[in-house]
């Protein structure tokens, strides 16, 4: 049985800035896939969020349809479980290291089973996707579980759900349970789609330590109007809360041999700061970027405290300082600085090295001249949108130069503007120097993002904070030393207790305030029963909190590690990820049916065979079909005539790291996408334009524009005839050509197909598995049957025109099959 094309899709997308869940379905009920139940249950205990998303789907169409479950998470959230219930049987996800997961997934695909691979796409953005075919009138339940430690930013913890079901859902319910033994100080909800009718579906209850928010709209409340079946649910649902803070040493909670210590003193005086803003004004910052940077910088300057000192450095191919030394944030100086900032214009190259060394030199000289207040905090804030192109351009050399210059004296914070920026370079640069990196998204609110980040570091309260616990009580702890603590944030330490420890766990926290040292002390009973209510917590959640925090910190340390240290950190993080079933950048999750219960039966084992057949795709370009060499023992050539319309996966080969997909309409392809895994490359082609994405940098080209681009193991070319080609040694070569006749469309050409692996799949890729050519039936030698992956194809011998990149073609005789 042939796999149906993924014409209908349902998806849930999760995006978490702190805990941000986006629930989105992309298939309307009219297309057959109906979500009749969608529930979210989130339990937050001691800032640790355990969220379960359950969706029940039914296929009301008369034919099999494909439902796709999609998830997008930031690096701080880990998926811990995903399962599907099909025909009453549960198929759980299995977390494995990347290599094992990829092999299991590929094996399932080779067997023709319904399988999905859940994997991370990078340390900054993690993407997950699982697809399954739904039989007519069949029901499937998807269940996703993910966990995250909520971080305190600007004085609150935030849980935000972006709700976009895109259809009315009979049973839609969200429940958020919060349990904080410290006491809940603040609780609020916000929504961008709430109507008066929907407001009646929202209930909130709260006491000193517990809160429950429920959102359960009826079908009529979800409707835009009585005459419309469209849903009004399209936007943000936000829950913000904070807890009671204590300056006596914070709060320690203990559960089943593990503890978590939260510390966020708020009433301490703010320390004076010395801040140098290092601003990229190279040519790539021109237009909206530099305009928003000027706007944000002017507002930030006006937020400086009179006891602060500051300066500005702008750089293009060279670095220029506003004044020779740091200035007091007086009214007059701020006015002068604001006038200077308002006149910053973008042009030139990007000399990050000289700008950073100038900032460090300025702080050094100001300190040596005793121009800065004693006990003050020195910060450097770098904003850039590109890679270094002037002066020292080697990122490793710049990182080494800056680290040696700073020498643990100051903290560096790096803001990467947009997706063209070399973010991993900035991340290591910041981490090596006691700071952090943050991406500023190029959007209408970029200026606000810059201001928000500044506000996070605007009020330093403590320096050199150290947590100490009795060695006979604590076996292991997460990070227990912190460079600085800013107002509105929180320090978190988790650990494992000794088996034979004390009855009371005590903690000592020491740090440096303005002009003096300070010590805090607190303690907690190891036998306390704070977390025994099953309504608000799940078993062993404190242990999982410790493991999650440990993994996060190991992943962060890996950014600056190398050699044996890097290998050790990676091994430790991988072992914890596997032990606690976390999908992290080091693991994948495979969801597949067991053997013997395949959705698609395939006879035999796919093997690599001799390649002596040819496949041509006529694709209704009657004059110029596409010719592809094929494997197998068939005699002659094979042409495939595409009859269906819509999006289709043409080739997918994990061995080649290649994915080719296209949108087919009457007359040809209206869009073709090519993804190459190594080097990481994405091609998006339409009859009007070509977009090449490399390392998140987009370049747009016009057809028939001469192009010659060499990457490791890959060459990208385009000639004046409009032939765009991706080629390289040991690679399947892909070419695209725009066609104007009989109507606008794209042609796909493929050669050197002997490099396809035996794992190749897709509407066309399936023909690179074992292909069996039956002998002609009876006396009619123009009709015969081909069998591919258990599917029979009736073929007819016809004349076709073979296109080879020129204006003319060659007539060929081939066996034509329709798909």
């Amino acid at each position: 049985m042939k796999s149906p094309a993924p014409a209908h899709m349902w998806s849930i997308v999760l995006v978490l800035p702190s805990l941000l869940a986006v629930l989105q379905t992309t298939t309307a009920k009219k297309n057959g896939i109906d979500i009749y139940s969608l529930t979210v249950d989130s339990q937050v205990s001691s800032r640790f969020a355990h969220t379960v998303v359950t969706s029940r789907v039914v296929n009301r169409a008369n034919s099999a349809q494909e439902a796709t479950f999609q998830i997008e998470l930031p690096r701080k959230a880990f998926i811990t479980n995903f399962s599907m219930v099909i025909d009453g049987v549960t198929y759980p996800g299995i977390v494995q290291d990347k290599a094992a997961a990829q092999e299991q997934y590929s094996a399932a695909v080779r067997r023709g089973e319904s399988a999905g691979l859940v994997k991370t796409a990078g340390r900054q953005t993690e993407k997950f996707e699982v697809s399954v075919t739904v039989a007519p009138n069949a029901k499937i339940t998807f269940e996703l579980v993910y966990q995250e430690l909520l971080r305190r930013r600007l004085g609150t913890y935030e849980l935000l759900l972006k709700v976009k079901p895109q259809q009315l859902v009979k049973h839609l319910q969200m429940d958020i349970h919060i349990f904080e033994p410290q006491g809940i100080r603040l609780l609020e909800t916000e929504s961008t789609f709430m109507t008066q009718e929907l407001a009646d579906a929202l209930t909130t209850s709260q006491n000193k330590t517990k809160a429950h928010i429920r959102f359960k709209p009826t079908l009529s409340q979800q409707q835009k109007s009585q005459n419309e079946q469209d849903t009004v649910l399209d936007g943000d649902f936000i829950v913000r809360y904070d807890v009671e803070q204590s300056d006596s040493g914070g709060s320690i909670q203990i559960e089943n041999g593990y503890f978590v210590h939260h510390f966020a003193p708020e009433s301490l005086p703010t320390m004076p700061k010395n801040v140098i803003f290092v601003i990229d004004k190279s040519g790539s910052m021109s237009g909206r970027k530099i305009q928003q940077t000027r706007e944000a910088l002017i507002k930030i300057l006006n937020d400086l405290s009179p006891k602060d000192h500051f300066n500005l450095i702008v750089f293009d191919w060279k670095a220029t300082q506003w004044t020779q030394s740091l200035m007091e944030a007086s009214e007059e100086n701020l006015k002068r600085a604001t006038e200077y900032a308002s006149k910053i214009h973008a042009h030139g190259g990007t000399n990050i090295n000289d700008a950073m060394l100038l900032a460090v030199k300025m702080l050094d000289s100001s300190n040596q001249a005793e121009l800065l207040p004693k006990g003050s905090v020195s910060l450097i804030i770098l904003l850039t949108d590109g890679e270094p192109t002037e002066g020292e351009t080697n990122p490793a050399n710049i990182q080494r130069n800056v680290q040696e210059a700073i020498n643990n004296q100051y903290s560096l914070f790096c803001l990467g503007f947009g997706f063209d920026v070399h973010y991993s370079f900035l991340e290591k640069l910041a981490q090596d120097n006691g700071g952090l990196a943050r991406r500023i998204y190029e959007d209408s609110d970029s200026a606000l993002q810059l201001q928000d980040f500044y506000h996070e570091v605007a009020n330093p309260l403590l320096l050199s904070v150290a947590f100490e616990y009795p060695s006979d009580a604590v076996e292991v702890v997460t990070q227990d030393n912190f460079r600085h603590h800013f107002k509105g944030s929180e320090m978190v330490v988790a650990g494992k207790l000794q088996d034979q420890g004390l009855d009371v766990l005590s903690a000592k926290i020491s740090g440096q305030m303005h002009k003096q040292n300070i010590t805090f002390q607190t303690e907690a009973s190891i036998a306390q029963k704070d977390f025994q209510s099953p309504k608000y917590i799940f078993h062993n959640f404190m242990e999982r909190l410790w493991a999650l925090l440990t993994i996060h910190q190991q992943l962060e340390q890996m950014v600056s590690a190398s050699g044996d240290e890097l290998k050790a950190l990676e091994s430790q993080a991988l072992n914890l990820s596997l032990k606690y079933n976390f999908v992290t950048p080091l693991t994948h999750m495979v969801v597949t049916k067991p053997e013997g219960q395949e959705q698609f039966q395939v006879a035999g084992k796919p093997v690599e065979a001799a390649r002596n057949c040819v496949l041509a795709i006529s694709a209704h370009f009657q004059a110029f079909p596409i010719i592809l060499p094929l494997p197998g023992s068939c005699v002659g050539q094979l042409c495939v005539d595409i009859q269906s319309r819509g999006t289709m996966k043409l080739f997918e080969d994990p061995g080649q790291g290649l994915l080719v997909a296209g949108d087919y309409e009457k007359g040809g392809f209206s869009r073709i996408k090519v993804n190459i895994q190594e080097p990481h490359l994405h091609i998006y082609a339409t009859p009007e334009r070509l977009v090449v994405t490399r390392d998140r940098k987009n370049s747009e080209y016009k057809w028939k524009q001469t192009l010659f681009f060499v990457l490791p193991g890959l060459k990208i070319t385009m000639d004046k005839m409009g032939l765009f080609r991706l080629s390289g040694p040991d690679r399947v070569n892909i070419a695209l050509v725009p066609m104007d006749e009989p109507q606008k469309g794209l042609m796909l050409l493929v050669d050197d197909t002997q490099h396809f692996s035996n794992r190749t799949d897709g509407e066309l890729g399936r023909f690179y598995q074992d292909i069996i050519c039956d002998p002609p039936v009876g006396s009619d030698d123009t009709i015969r049957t081909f069998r591919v992956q258990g599917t029979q194809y009736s073929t007819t011998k016809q004349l076709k025109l073979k296109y080879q990149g020129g204006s003319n073609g060659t007539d060929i005789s081939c066996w034509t099959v329709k798909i």
Side-chain angles (χ1 to χ4, degrees):
M1 176 179 176
K2 193 174 73 169
S3 171
H8 305 288
M9 178 181 289
W10 167 82
S11 68
I12 288 184
V13 181
L14 301 175
V15 183
L16 291 87
S18 61
L19 176 59
L20 164 60
V22 181
L23 311 177
Q24 181 178 13
T25 60
T26 60
T27 301
K29 191 180 298 185
K30 64 182 180 182
N31 291 330
I33 297 295
D34 179 21
I35 307 168
Y36 62 91
S37 174
L38 178 60
T39 63
V40 180
D41 185 79
S42 184
Q43 300 176 11
V44 184
S45 301
S46 196
R47 287 66 132 191
F48 188 61
H50 173 91
T51 301
V52 181
V53 180
T54 306
S55 184
R56 293 177 172 85
V57 179
V58 62
N59 177 17
R60 302 194 189 280
N62 295 325
S63 59
Q65 305 293 337
E66 188 174 70
T68 299
F69 190 94
Q70 294 178 331
I71 307 151
E72 186 174 342
L73 303 169
R75 63 180 183 179
K76 295 300 182 184
F78 290 159
I79 285 181
T80 185
N81 188 46
F82 180 85
S83 62
M84 299 183 295
V85 181
I86 306 172
D87 296 330
V89 180
T90 300
Y91 301 99
I94 301 173
V95 175
Q96 300 177 341
D97 67 85
K98 284 187 174 181
Q102 183 66 55
E103 175 54 34
Q104 182 174 340
Y105 171 66
S106 300
V109 170
R110 289 197 299 270
R111 293 192 301 267
E113 298 177 4
S114 171
L117 179 63
V118 182
K119 68 177 183 178
T120 59
R123 292 195 65 246
Q124 300 304 313
T125 304
E126 301 164 355
K127 295 183 179 180
F128 306 80
E129 181 173 309
V130 174
S131 298
V132 64
T133 299
V134 188
N137 300 314
K139 296 180 179 180
I140 291 184
T141 297
F142 296 97
E143 183 177 278
L144 168 76
V145 182
Y146 65 91
Q147 297 175 335
E148 184 188 14
L149 178 62
L150 302 185
R151 301 287 180 162
R152 191 167 184 258
R153 293 182 61 244
L154 300 174
T156 62
Y157 310 92
E158 184 175 285
L159 183 154
L160 189 152
L161 297 96
K162 199 160 191 172
V163 185
K164 293 187 176 184
Q166 296 191 3
Q167 68 176 63
L168 301 179
V169 180
K170 184 177 181 180
H171 179 213
L172 192 153
Q173 181 171 330
M174 294 185 291
D175 285 282
I176 299 106
H177 297 272
I178 301 172
F179 176 42
E180 294 290 352
Q182 272 183 254
I184 299 174
R185 182 189 67 83
L186 168 72
L187 177 69
E188 59 185 32
T189 62
E190 177 184 333
S191 173
T192 61
F193 58 79
M194 196 69 68
T195 63
Q196 184 56 51
E197 291 76 14
L198 282 173
D200 295 335
L202 177 65
T203 58
T204 301
S205 60
Q206 176 189 355
N207 60 25
K208 183 178 179 181
T209 60
K210 300 176 183 177
H212 178 209
I213 299 97
R214 170 171 289 176
F215 180 60
K216 188 179 181 181
T218 63
L219 282 172
S220 60
Q221 288 172 325
Q222 296 174 45
Q223 283 181 274
K224 283 187 176 180
S225 69
Q226 291 183 349
N227 300 324
E228 295 182 74
Q229 291 300 306
D230 292 334
T231 178
V232 73
L233 300 181
D234 185 5
D236 300 341
F237 182 83
I238 305 166
V239 176
R240 294 189 186 93
Y241 80 94
D242 195 21
V243 299
E244 298 287 354
Q245 302 293 344
S246 168
D247 290 329
S248 64
S251 172
I252 299 176
Q253 279 90 49
I254 298 172
E255 189 250 355
N256 201 26
Y258 288 82
F259 76 92
V260 61
H261 186 175
H262 298 276
F263 185 49
E266 290 287 286
S267 60
L268 303 178
T270 299
M271 303 175 69
K273 63 181 178 293
N274 317 303
V275 56
I276 298 181
F277 300 96
V278 184
I279 307 299
D280 183 350
K281 69 179 188 75
S282 61
S284 59
M285 286 285 291
S286 62
R288 192 174 191 177
K289 287 183 182 178
I290 201 68
Q291 177 185 346
Q292 291 177 319
T293 298
R294 287 195 301 261
E295 176 189 336
L297 189 56
I298 289 170
K299 291 184 178 179
I300 288 171
L301 288 171
N302 290 319
D303 284 340
L304 290 171
S305 168
K307 61 183 179 180
D308 294 336
H309 286 67
F310 75 102
N311 206 337
L312 305 173
I313 293 176
V314 294
F315 67 95
D316 41 39
W317 56 76
K318 64 178 181 178
T320 304
Q321 58 198 42
W322 169 54
T323 61
Q324 294 300 312
S325 61
L326 276 80
M327 305 293 290
E328 291 184 0
S330 65
E331 185 176 345
E332 181 181 350
N333 287 337
L334 290 174
K335 182 179 179 181
R336 290 174 50 219
T338 298
E339 292 175 354
Y340 178 81
S342 66
K343 298 175 182 178
I344 298 175
H345 296 286
H347 65 281
T350 308
N351 194 332
I352 294 176
N353 187 75
D354 287 0
M356 290 305 305
L357 295 184
L358 178 59
V360 177
K361 181 180 179 181
M362 190 179 295
L363 283 171
D364 285 344
S365 59
S366 296
N367 275 318
Q368 291 167 4
E370 298 183 349
L371 300 177
L372 304 179
K374 290 185 178 180
S376 58
V377 180
S378 294
L379 311 174
I380 301 173
I381 299 178
L382 167 67
L383 171 66
T384 181
D385 78 330
E387 299 188 24
T389 61
E390 299 286 340
E392 177 59 70
T393 59
N394 186 307
N397 291 342
I398 297 174
Q399 289 163 346
R400 183 177 62 253
N401 293 343
V402 173
Q403 187 174 17
E404 289 176 355
I406 288 180
N407 195 26
N408 294 317
Q409 298 178 85
Y410 321 119
S411 295
L412 170 61
F413 298 89
C414 298
L415 304 179
F417 206 133
F419 283 100
D420 291 342
V421 71
H422 190 339
Y423 190 79
S424 60
F425 159 64
L426 296 181
E427 188 177 33
K428 178 170 169 49
L429 193 64
Q431 193 171 93
D432 285 345
N433 297 285
L436 56 85
R438 183 76 55 81
R439 190 183 295 280
I440 301 299
Y441 294 92
E442 191 174 350
D443 210 337
S444 58
D445 67 340
S446 296
L448 294 177
Q449 296 176 52
L450 289 167
Q451 293 170 56
D452 285 348
F453 173 80
Y454 168 75
H455 291 148
E456 288 184 51
V457 299
N459 297 294
L461 301 181
L462 288 172
L463 290 179
S464 304
V465 184
F467 289 70
E468 297 179 39
Y469 306 95
S471 58
D472 58 348
V474 174
E475 180 178 325
V476 63
V477 295
T478 57
Q479 178 185 348
D480 55 6
N481 285 271
F482 300 85
R483 188 84 166 259
H484 31 55
H485 170 62
F486 297 102
K487 186 179 181 67
S489 64
E490 182 178 64
M491 290 169 284
V492 182
V493 179
K496 182 180 181 181
L497 300 173
Q498 297 274 16
D499 291 338
Q500 301 295 327
L502 305 175
D503 293 333
V504 174
L505 175 63
S506 60
K508 175 184 175 183
I509 306 99
S510 58
Q512 296 176 11
M513 290 177 57
H514 180 44
K515 297 182 180 180
Q516 70 179 42
N517 295 331
I518 188 171
T519 300
F520 306 86
Q521 290 187 327
T522 190
E523 62 181 29
S525 170
I526 293 178
Q528 64 181 316
K529 304 295 185 182
D530 280 344
F531 294 97
Q532 299 303 311
S533 170
K535 182 178 180 180
Y536 285 87
I537 62 102
F538 54 96
H539 185 57
N540 286 347
F541 91 95
M542 197 74 73
E543 179 179 353
R544 297 189 64 83
L545 185 158
W546 164 81
L548 182 144
L549 185 57
T550 300
I551 294 170
H552 274 310
Q553 292 175 356
Q554 289 168 340
L555 293 173
E556 290 171 356
Q557 293 166 17
M558 285 166 57
V559 172
S560 297
S562 60
D564 292 340
E565 181 188 5
L566 176 60
K567 291 180 181 179
L569 286 168
E570 184 172 320
S571 177
Q572 294 164 14
L574 174 60
N575 290 337
L576 279 178
S577 299
L578 294 174
K579 180 178 179 180
Y580 292 96
N581 214 56
F582 286 134
V583 180
T584 72
L586 301 175
T587 57
H588 287 174
M589 176 180 283
V590 177
V591 182
T592 182
K593 283 189 175 184
E595 290 190 53
Q597 300 182 33
E598 298 91 349
Q599 190 165 359
F600 308 113
Q601 297 289 335
V602 177
K605 180 179 179 181
V607 293
E608 189 78 17
R611 303 175 184 273
N612 55 16
C613 287
V614 173
L615 167 65
I617 307 174
S618 64
H620 293 288
F621 288 116
Q622 293 300 326
F624 303 107
I626 302 170
I627 308 300
L628 304 172
L630 268 185
S633 58
C634 302
V635 177
Q637 302 177 89
L638 180 69
C639 299
V640 175
D641 189 0
I642 299 177
Q643 301 289 302
S644 58
R645 299 184 186 183
T647 301
M648 59 183 67
K649 181 174 65 178
L650 302 172
F651 297 99
E652 182 177 29
D653 186 356
Q656 280 277 303
L658 175 68
L659 174 65
V660 182
D663 285 358
Y664 187 79
E665 298 177 4
K666 184 179 181 180
F669 290 103
S670 61
R671 179 172 58 184
I672 292 178
K673 295 181 180 180
V674 182
N675 286 335
I676 297 177
Q677 187 172 346
E678 189 62 37
H680 189 63
L681 191 72
H682 176 73
I683 308 295
Y684 176 86
T686 68
E688 293 75 32
R689 62 175 184 151
L690 260 173
V691 177
V692 180
T693 302
R694 164 73 171 150
D695 290 335
R696 296 182 176 177
K697 182 177 291 184
N698 297 312
S699 300
E700 184 171 327
Y701 302 96
K702 295 180 180 179
W703 288 105
K704 302 183 181 181
Q705 173 183 347
T706 303
L707 175 65
F708 188 86
F709 190 13
V710 178
L711 298 173
L714 181 68
K715 184 166 65 175
I716 305 174
T717 61
M718 183 162 59
D719 61 22
K720 293 182 180 180
M721 299 295 295
L723 180 65
F724 177 83
R725 183 179 294 275
L726 303 165
S727 60
D730 302 321
R731 287 184 180 274
V732 176
N733 292 344
I734 305 293
L736 305 176
V737 184
M739 304 300 298
D740 293 324
E741 298 293 338
Q743 65 183 56
K744 277 195 171 185
L746 293 172
M747 180 181 295
L748 171 68
L749 298 91
V750 181
D751 56 20
D752 285 352
T753 57
Q754 70 273 14
H755 298 306
F756 271 130
S757 74
N758 61 1
R759 295 184 287 169
T760 306
D761 197 13
E763 293 296 325
L764 303 177
R766 69 184 60 187
F767 292 102
Y768 288 86
Q769 302 285 345
D770 277 351
I771 181 170
I772 301 173
C773 310
D774 292 342
V777 179
S779 60
D780 189 354
D781 61 357
T782 64
I783 300 175
R784 66 193 304 179
T785 299
F786 289 0
R787 286 181 284 145
V788 180
Q789 293 186 344
T791 301
Q792 292 187 353
Y793 296 91
S794 178
T795 66
T796 304
K797 201 166 189 177
Q798 297 178 354
L799 283 177
K800 295 289 183 179
L801 194 62
K802 178 181 177 181
Y803 179 78
Q804 294 180 317
S807 57
N808 298 318
T810 303
D811 284 329
I812 63 170
S813 177
C814 65
W815 296 99
T816 302
V817 62
K818 296 180 180 180
I819 64 171

